[in-house]
Amino acid sequence: MGKIEKIERIKKIHAMLKTPGAKVTASLLAKKLGVSVETIYRDIQLMQSSQFCAVIDFDQHEKTYRYADPSYELPLPLITKTDIPALCAAQMLLSRFENTPIAHEAHTIIANLLPSLDTQNTQNTCCRHISVIPSPAADIASDIWCDVLRALNSTQILEFDYKGKNSTEPVRRTVRPYELVIDDGMCYLYGYSEDKKALRTYALTRISHITVTNRHFIRPDDTQIKNRYGGSKFDAFSSDETFEFRIEFYGSGAVYVKERIWADTQRITPLADGSGIEITFRSTQTASILSWILSQGENAKPLAPEWLVDDWQDHILGMYKMIKNKVPQ
């Protein structure tokens, strides 16, 4: 029997010892678990060792075992054979967040769960035909990450310099940190800006000269950023207003859109001429939706809201001007 099977037996022995009024004998355990009495003796000795620290009394007259302390619980976690595929999959999914401290810590925890188990064969079997494509990793300074986590956990106000993607110089910000957001390999801080008097999202890669102040704040009950998206699932950014979107997709764009759920409110209907589909949904994620449409090129056309149509046309005209300027006259 391997180490995994032994742990599964120990968990079952523990459950029987915890059953009120049960007369637990070695022969009964051996019969129920399908092993020899000698194996049960060894399992009980292991439970009494420093690995589990269980104090088990033996009644010489009735030949029964019981816990000296009925409240005793096995030290957790105990990993069984059925747990390993999930842990292996979790380890693979962490590749989506490589180069972030949270991924390193999670890898360490999983590694600490498995070292005493012979998991190599199980891991190879359950994961050798699965690949997870990693996202481009963000280069986040460790001091930024640690200070943000410390402020989040202790509800302390942060001050830092922030350079927006369209800014030329950083600006000092004072923020009440609400949540750390991980999206497609990037990490963001979501919180209340005391400067803007509004909720804002900040990329950790654009934060510098951070200070965890001595000022504390009371975090509101509903501070999850996902509740601001209006049920859509695009990226970490949102506006303060919800819009109704109508977009047509054609060809491969239509196939791509039909394969996923982009918003809780989405409705997809085929176009009358059979050339594609129209999708409608509500969302606050305005900037990312424009990028989503542009990514499909000639296979996408927005219909509403009007400002989205105008922005889409401006971007196309801008790209056309770039092409025109490079074409020999």
Side-chain angles (χ1 to χ4, degrees), residues 182-219:
I182 300 176
D183 174 45
D184 198 27
M186 280 291 287
C187 298
Y188 302 93
L189 171 65
Y190 171 65
Y192 179 80
S193 168
E194 294 194 346
D195 312 282
K196 298 291 187 179
K197 306 297 181 187
L199 294 166
R200 290 290 184 267
T201 304
Y202 304 91
L204 264 59
T205 51
R206 301 179 203 141
I207 292 176
S208 62
H209 303 98
I210 191 169
T211 299
V212 181
T213 72
N214 293 324
R215 294 193 294 135
H216 290 261
F217 66 96
I218 298 175
R219 183 181 287 116

Side-chain angles (χ1 to χ4, degrees), residues 64-95:
T64 58
Y65 295 93
R66 67 178 178 85
Y67 281 131
D69 179 6
S71 65
Y72 170 81
E73 294 293 344
L74 290 172
L76 297 176
L78 287 178
I79 306 305
T80 67
K81 183 187 299 184
T82 56
D83 297 324
I84 291 175
L87 284 171
C88 295
Q91 202 162 33
M92 295 181 67
L93 289 171
L94 284 172
S95 63

Side-chain angles (χ1 to χ4, degrees), residues 107-166:
H107 278 306
T108 301
I109 291 170
I110 292 175
N112 289 338
L113 290 174
L114 301 176
S116 63
L117 300 177
D118 181 18
T119 62
Q120 190 62 45
N121 290 336
T122 305
Q123 183 172 1
N124 288 343
T125 300
C126 71
C127 292
R128 64 184 175 183
H129 301 306
I130 302 173
S131 294
V132 178
I133 307 303
S135 301
D139 185 13
I140 302 168
S142 60
D143 61 321
I144 301 293
W145 182 275
C146 292
D147 284 344
V148 168
L149 283 182
R150 179 157 64 95
L152 280 166
N153 292 330
S154 59
T155 58
Q156 288 176 265
I157 293 174
L158 286 168
E159 293 180 355
F160 51 80
D161 291 343
Y162 189 74
K163 186 177 180 180
K165 62 181 180 180
N166 297 319

Side-chain angles (χ1 to χ4, degrees), residues 190-291:
Y190 171 65
Y192 179 80
S193 168
E194 294 194 346
D195 312 282
K196 298 291 187 179
K197 306 297 181 187
L199 294 166
R200 290 290 184 267
T201 304
Y202 304 91
L204 264 59
T205 51
R206 301 179 203 141
I207 292 176
S208 62
H209 303 98
I210 191 169
T211 299
V212 181
T213 72
N214 293 324
R215 294 193 294 135
H216 290 261
F217 66 96
I218 298 175
R219 183 181 287 116
D221 292 334
D222 185 14
T223 58
Q224 288 191 311
I225 192 172
K226 66 181 182 181
N227 294 333
R228 287 177 48 84
Y229 295 158
S232 61
K233 313 168 193 300
F234 290 93
D235 66 8
F237 292 90
S238 65
S239 64
D240 295 327
E241 188 175 352
T242 302
F243 296 93
E244 181 84 23
F245 291 89
R246 291 178 53 227
I247 309 159
E248 289 185 353
F249 288 91
Y250 320 104
S252 60
V255 175
Y256 171 68
V257 169
K258 286 193 295 184
E259 290 174 337
R260 305 189 186 192
I261 298 174
W262 303 95
D264 295 340
T265 58
Q266 77 178 38
R267 299 188 308 276
I268 295 178
T269 55
L271 297 179
D273 61 3
S275 62
I277 62 168
E278 179 183 309
I279 182 172
T280 63
F281 58 90
R282 294 175 62 80
S283 175
T284 63
Q285 298 176 287
T286 54
S288 52
I289 291 172
L290 175 60
S291 298

